[in-house]
Amino acid sequence: MYDNKLHRMAVLLLTFLPMACGGGESAEAPTDEVPAAEVAKAAPDLSEAAAVSGKVSFEGEQPRRVRIRMGAEPQCEQKHGSAVYSQEVEINENGTLKNAFVWVKEGLEKYSFDPPAEPVLLDQDGCVYEPHVFGVQIGQEIKIVNSDPVTHNIHPVPRNNREWNISQSPAQEFTRSFPRQEVMVPVKCNVHPWMKTYIGVVSHPYFAATGEDGTFELKDLPPGEYTIEVWHEKFGAQEQKITVGPKESKELEFSYKG
Ligand SMILES: [Cu+2]
């Protein structure tokens, strides 16, 4: 008698439990909100990619150009044929600033980006780093070459990445990469105190260094809200917020004052 009652209760439970769990609205119903830890980062959808372009202008008095005295290294000095000036502040003829680094500082955190297979070239030519300011993606290789008949010493001084220091004789080359985002990593040469370059190590491909016309272009950008930062060695960093919709192109101008 007692056993039969228990048995009936067990049958009832087994009959109704699957219904309670499987159908209707329960308190445990899933929502659209996925806990942050469970969101897998993926490459963005670029089918309706946007773009941000613009320029970095300079107003005010142009600072006096600083001459580099290279007499200690005559083989480098001869390569130039004329006076060599510091690359710290270079104002272009159209009133823009060269060697400013523009990048997307915020807004791409939910995506992941593979580093390009192609390395970035860093040359030492005439005891000057070329380029003076450039960007790489995390994990992207930097191919470092020495076009001079003298020995250099590459010495990055990062805050978030590991510091290293390698002597490089003529015609030697090697590659290195950085595992963590850092804007900017200063690099010096221990042999020639005037030699400096700055590397922007970024977790994504949306960055640019201004050249002779002071412009930049961040293309193939997923639509979204972004903070764009510009960094300059002498004049510091500035940022602006921008929102770009699907297939939208927007212009952005940064301005430094001397
Ligand atoms: Cu050097």
Side-chain angles (χ1 to χ4, degrees):
M1 180 81 175
Y2 185 70
D3 278 355
N4 273 346
K5 199 175 176 184
L6 260 182
H7 179 81
R8 279 206 308 276
M9 277 176 71
V11 170
L12 278 170
L13 269 173
L14 284 171
T15 308
F16 288 103
L17 261 175
M19 284 173 69
C21 292
E25 289 179 13
S26 85
E28 298 292 319
T31 68
D32 288 333
E33 285 181 24
V34 180
E38 291 174 28
V39 179
K41 289 190 178 187
D45 175 5
L46 298 177
S47 58
E48 295 188 299
V52 176
S53 59
K55 64 177 180 175
V56 181
S57 60
F58 181 85
E59 293 165 19
E61 201 174 323
Q62 184 169 335
R64 196 174 60 85
R65 297 183 72 195
V66 179
R67 190 162 173 189
I68 294 172
R69 304 288 173 184
M70 242 181 236
E73 209 63 273
Q75 287 172 294
C76 281
E77 194 172 42
Q78 282 160 20
K79 269 191 164 184
H80 294 278
S82 60
V84 187
Y85 292 93
S86 163
Q87 295 160 294
E88 188 183 33
V89 180
E90 289 188 81
I91 314 293
N92 296 317
E93 283 178 8
N94 64 356
T96 57
L97 201 50
K98 190 180 173 184
N99 289 323
F101 187 76
V102 182
W103 68 298
V104 177
K105 187 181 183 182
E106 288 165 1
L108 291 162
E109 294 76 10
K110 59 180 173 287
Y111 303 118
S112 75
F113 300 89
D114 291 330
E118 193 69 16
V120 177
L121 186 71
L122 174 61
D123 195 5
Q124 296 149 105
D125 193 6
C127 292
V128 172
Y129 282 117
E130 181 55 43
H132 181 61
V133 168
F134 66 101
V136 283
Q137 260 182 258
I138 286 173
Q140 183 178 11
E141 289 196 325
I142 304 165
K143 184 178 171 185
I144 304 165
V145 301
N146 181 2
S147 299
D148 288 328
V150 302
T151 295
H152 290 293
N153 187 287
I154 329 293
H155 185 180
V157 195
R159 299 178 311 276
N160 302 333
N161 287 283
R162 189 174 60 81
E163 185 173 342
W164 49 267
N165 181 357
I166 297 175
S167 182
Q168 189 175 27
S169 50
Q172 207 182 3
E173 64 176 60
F174 58 90
T175 58
R176 282 289 184 282
S177 65
F178 293 98
R180 280 175 284 278
Q181 180 163 284
E182 185 167 351
V183 177
M184 309 288 288
V185 175
V187 180
K188 59 185 183 178
C189 171
N190 289 3
V191 185
H192 309 109
W194 63 83
M195 288 181 69
K196 281 191 182 117
T197 183
Y198 295 87
I199 308 173
V201 184
V202 181
S203 64
H204 55 71
Y206 305 103
F207 54 79
T210 57
E212 305 286 335
D213 63 359
T215 64
F216 64 88
E217 187 178 18
L218 307 171
K219 56 185 180 182
D220 292 329
L221 197 58
E225 281 181 52
Y226 299 108
T227 302
I228 314 284
E229 184 180 72
V230 57
W231 170 97
H232 185 268
E233 173 184 355
K234 167 100 174 159
F235 301 117
Q238 311 179 358
E239 57 184 49
Q240 290 189 45
K241 292 200 187 302
I242 195 165
T243 301
V244 280
K247 296 184 177 175
E248 192 175 20
S249 290
K250 276 195 176 169
E251 299 249 327
L252 204 56
E253 185 171 344
F254 290 97
S255 182
Y256 284 100
K257 289 184 173 51

